[in-house]
Amino acid sequence: MRAIVVGTGAGGATAARELAKNGYEVEIMEAGKEFKPLRGILSIGGPLRKIGLLGNEKTITRLFPPMDTIRSANDLVLVRGLTTGGSTVLSCGNMVRAEHGLKEIGLDLTPEFEEIEKNIGITDFPRERWQQVTKDMFDSAEKLGLDPKSTPKAVNSVKCVSCGYCELGCSTGARWDSRRFLDDAIQNGAHLHISSPVEKVIIENNQVKGVVVKSRTIKADIVVLSAGGIGTAQILKASGLPAKDNLWADIVLTLGGVLKGAKQIKEPPMVWYTKHEDYILSPYLDILSHWFHKPWRNVSIDDRVGIMVKLAEIEEGAVYADGKVSKSLKAEDRSRLNEAISEARKIMESAGVSGPYINGVHNGGHLGGTVPLNKDDVSTMKPSWLPKGLWVADLSLAPRSQGLPTILLTAALALRVSRTIIEKE
């Protein structure tokens, strides 16, 4: 049986790997090119940044096409990976179990979480490798009763050189990304096609027949969409199918402070976190804000200290057939971000970090919710309106914003979906 898997991130690579292992003829379609880490901007960008000649966030997309940026509103930038490995190659390697909204629909992914954690290998990054300011902020959070915990990571600390630029790709191979699952799929007979964006799905009599790539038809018995909350919704709408205007992104806002010689950049981002009802706080130097946010421009990266708020926001945003996205921050989101930022400031002040305290760029890179599961869908792992043979295996299935790292959730959803395919197709 021939299956086309669209996308190579955590969802697509997991699905392709599982289907290929079980005898399916798998063709993998990746819109982007082969991934290569970016480092050149780090040596030439400093002077240009200081005088404002780097422009806005679109500059990084031009210099580094795997990091695709979309300004969905005047004050919100969405980021996704368009390359082999999808957004996992631009991640910090955090492996937290994100389950917001799953219990309400009766979906328990515990077996999948456990299997993937064991397969990847999850560890904490050694505290002795944290910068002093990060240790001090952890202690401050503890004194404030925020119960900070080391972040479970898929990072080999022996290989990690603490460059701090995980989001630009890991040049040493210390951090896991979904290309490892992709390699497994290829070793089991799957074929990878890069620079192959899927335009639409071919459907006849409510049965999938294949996909269109660059105006060329590729036939298949099964199509698995794993192009993320934006890409999957775009393909569905271009195919005449009703993806939902339920896009969420896990909004990130980083509070920047100053501590001379802190060198927070010399460690992996987010080595610890505090978990709250609908957000987390974590030490983080936001690359977008450092390079492109004018109010951050006068502080060097060695002196910049940041704490991130990652918020589970209101699930409301639209993706269109042409790829355009409309999503903005709601008043309730702003209010909750302000509350969380005040907690971040308390942590930083207690740790000796001084002002000026300046918010960074509002951004989001966990893109989901556009094909949300409900209670009636859980047994089949697909919404009833999807035609026969068409499946979704990515974060689009998660109905709620998480406010947490989501790689593990994406892979777990894809593993459950792919095994359901094997059982039912």
Side-chain angles (χ1 to χ4, degrees):
M1 186 171 284
R2 194 178 202 207
I4 291 174
V5 176
V6 183
T8 59
T14 301
R17 177 179 187 255
E18 195 65 20
L19 293 174
K21 279 168 49 181
N22 283 275
Y24 285 74
E25 181 186 343
V26 179
E27 305 292 332
I28 308 168
M29 303 296 163
E30 169 55 53
K33 297 180 180 180
E34 181 118 12
F35 180 71
K36 293 180 181 178
L38 174 70
R39 288 295 180 269
I41 192 176
L42 307 182
S43 58
I44 66 172
L48 296 178
R49 164 189 171 269
K50 194 165 185 179
I51 59 177
L53 292 184
L54 280 182
N56 60 21
E57 72 282 346
K58 274 299 175 187
T59 302
I60 201 165
T61 299
R62 288 190 287 269
L63 294 170
F64 187 41
M67 184 178 284
D68 183 57
T69 59
I70 300 169
R71 190 166 281 273
S72 65
N74 287 336
D75 59 352
L76 180 58
V77 177
L78 304 182
V79 182
R80 60 178 179 162
L82 284 181
T83 182
T84 50
S87 295
T88 68
V89 296
L90 310 178
S91 77
C92 301
N94 301 323
M95 295 291 168
V96 175
R97 294 189 188 187
E99 303 176 90
H100 193 201
L102 300 190
K103 184 178 180 181
E104 289 86 339
I105 62 171
L107 179 57
D108 181 6
L109 293 174
T110 301
E112 287 79 11
F113 284 142
E114 291 176 347
E115 182 174 338
I116 294 165
E117 287 167 344
K118 183 177 180 181
N119 192 290
I120 291 175
I122 311 298
T123 60
D124 298 339
F125 197 77
R127 180 163 176 152
E128 58 268 23
R129 295 273 300 277
W130 300 4
Q131 291 298 103
Q132 186 60 48
V133 67
T134 302
K135 296 176 184 177
D136 292 344
M137 290 193 297
F138 180 96
D139 293 341
S140 296
E142 206 163 43
K143 290 174 183 174
L144 290 167
L146 301 179
D147 192 27
K149 300 182 185 304
S150 292
T151 307
K153 283 184 172 286
V155 175
N156 183 329
S157 62
V158 175
K159 290 184 177 180
C160 177
V161 295
S162 295
C163 71
Y165 287 101
C166 292
E167 302 99 314
L168 302 182
C170 184
S171 58
T172 67
R175 173 174 48 71
W176 180 93
D177 63 61
S178 64
R179 290 178 297 170
R180 299 191 193 180
F181 281 6
L182 191 61
D183 289 343
D184 290 345
I186 292 168
Q187 288 175 12
N188 279 284
H191 299 102
L192 172 63
H193 307 268
I194 61 172
S195 302
S196 297
V198 170
E199 298 164 20
K200 65 179 181 178
V201 180
I202 301 168
I203 302 159
E204 297 177 7
N205 299 320
N206 202 43
Q207 169 71 53
V208 74
K209 295 294 183 180
V211 300
V212 176
V213 178
K214 296 181 178 178
S215 302
R216 182 169 63 96
T217 298
I218 302 174
K219 294 183 179 180
D221 305 293
I222 295 167
V223 173
V224 182
L225 299 180
S226 300
I230 291 176
T232 290
Q234 179 184 353
I235 293 167
L236 288 171
K237 288 195 173 180
S239 307
L241 293 169
K244 308 302 181 185
D245 295 340
N246 193 64
L247 179 69
W248 54 264
D250 281 358
I251 303 299
V252 168
L253 180 61
T254 301
L255 179 65
V258 181
L259 181 63
K260 192 72 174 175
K263 296 186 184 296
Q264 189 187 10
I265 190 65
K266 295 298 184 181
E267 66 186 10
M270 301 178 67
V271 291
W272 59 260
Y273 72 109
T274 68
K275 186 176 181 181
H276 307 256
E277 183 179 356
D278 52 9
Y279 66 88
I280 63 170
L281 301 175
S282 190
Y284 181 71
L285 277 178
D286 181 12
I287 299 301
L288 279 177
S289 296
H290 174 72
W291 291 106
F292 306 111
H293 190 46
K294 185 176 180 179
W296 275 31
R297 198 170 287 158
N298 293 326
V299 176
S300 78
I301 202 161
D302 284 342
D303 301 336
R304 173 65 70 199
V305 177
I307 287 186
M308 159 208 284
V309 177
K310 188 187 293 291
L311 176 75
E313 89 279 9
I314 294 171
E315 300 87 1
E316 187 177 322
V319 179
Y320 302 98
D322 61 1
K324 291 180 180 177
V325 181
S326 174
K327 180 174 177 61
S328 59
L329 289 164
K330 307 304 176 188
E332 184 180 337
D333 296 330
R334 294 181 187 279
S335 176
R336 291 185 296 154
L337 281 170
N338 288 337
E339 291 174 11
I341 285 290
S342 69
E343 290 285 353
R345 179 166 178 162
K346 290 176 187 175
I347 294 171
M348 295 168 79
E349 287 178 333
S350 180
V353 179
S354 63
Y357 293 100
I358 303 173
N359 289 345
V361 176
H362 293 90
N363 62 87
H366 302 166
L367 304 167
T370 47
V371 193
L373 295 170
N374 60 39
K375 288 181 179 179
D376 295 334
D377 301 328
V378 169
S379 61
T380 59
M381 287 304 293
K382 63 182 290 187
S384 58
W385 53 267
L386 286 174
K388 183 171 173 53
L390 180 59
W391 298 77
V392 171
D394 64 22
L395 209 56
S396 305
L397 296 173
R400 301 292 303 277
S401 181
Q402 301 297 311
L404 287 164
T406 53
I407 289 177
L408 194 56
L409 171 59
T410 308
L413 285 165
L415 185 57
R416 177 70 66 90
V417 168
S418 55
R419 287 182 174 165
T420 305
I421 293 171
I422 294 164
E423 177 186 338
K424 295 183 179 295
E425 296 277 12

